[in-house]
Amino acid sequence: MQKKIPMRQCLGCREMKSKKELIRVVHSPEGAVSLDLKGKAPGRGAYLCHSTECLKKAQKQRSLERAFSCQIPAEVYEGLIARMEAEE
């Protein structure tokens, strides 16, 4: 019997992909928004592809703000883009 592969939807391109192919963005209980590369950080999670284009689409569509029900400043998006580019 084959093991079930968890699927998640990218907030940028809206494609369903396996959880391992995506990066988790986490809204911690303290209110900080950051990338969770290991997928174990506590807090509310949302998923994005490994491309900065998907993050920019999510920013334009305000997808992360809707997922976390809070306002996200532009500085946080710039930090997420810089960290994502460093990981590539």
Side-chain angles (χ1 to χ4, degrees), residues 5-23:
I5 300 171
M7 301 294 283
R8 300 291 184 265
Q9 186 176 41
C10 172
L11 290 179
C13 63
R14 313 293 292 169
E15 286 184 28
M16 292 295 287
K17 296 185 178 182
S18 72
K19 193 173 169 182
K20 290 183 179 182
E21 293 178 46
L22 301 171
I23 296 177

Side-chain angles (χ1 to χ4, degrees), residues 51-69:
S51 70
T52 55
E53 292 151 18
C54 281
L55 180 57
K56 290 176 184 175
K57 278 185 192 175
Q59 180 181 10
K60 185 177 178 184
Q61 298 168 348
R62 298 181 171 269
S63 300
L64 285 173
E65 293 179 8
R66 279 196 307 274
F68 297 142
S69 300

Side-chain angles (χ1 to χ4, degrees), residues 23-49:
I23 296 177
R24 183 172 184 245
V25 181
V26 67
H27 182 251
S28 68
E30 294 83 38
V33 176
S34 63
L35 289 181
D36 178 19
L37 300 173
K38 298 198 188 277
K40 302 283 185 187
R44 175 95 175 137
Y47 293 85
L48 290 168
C49 293

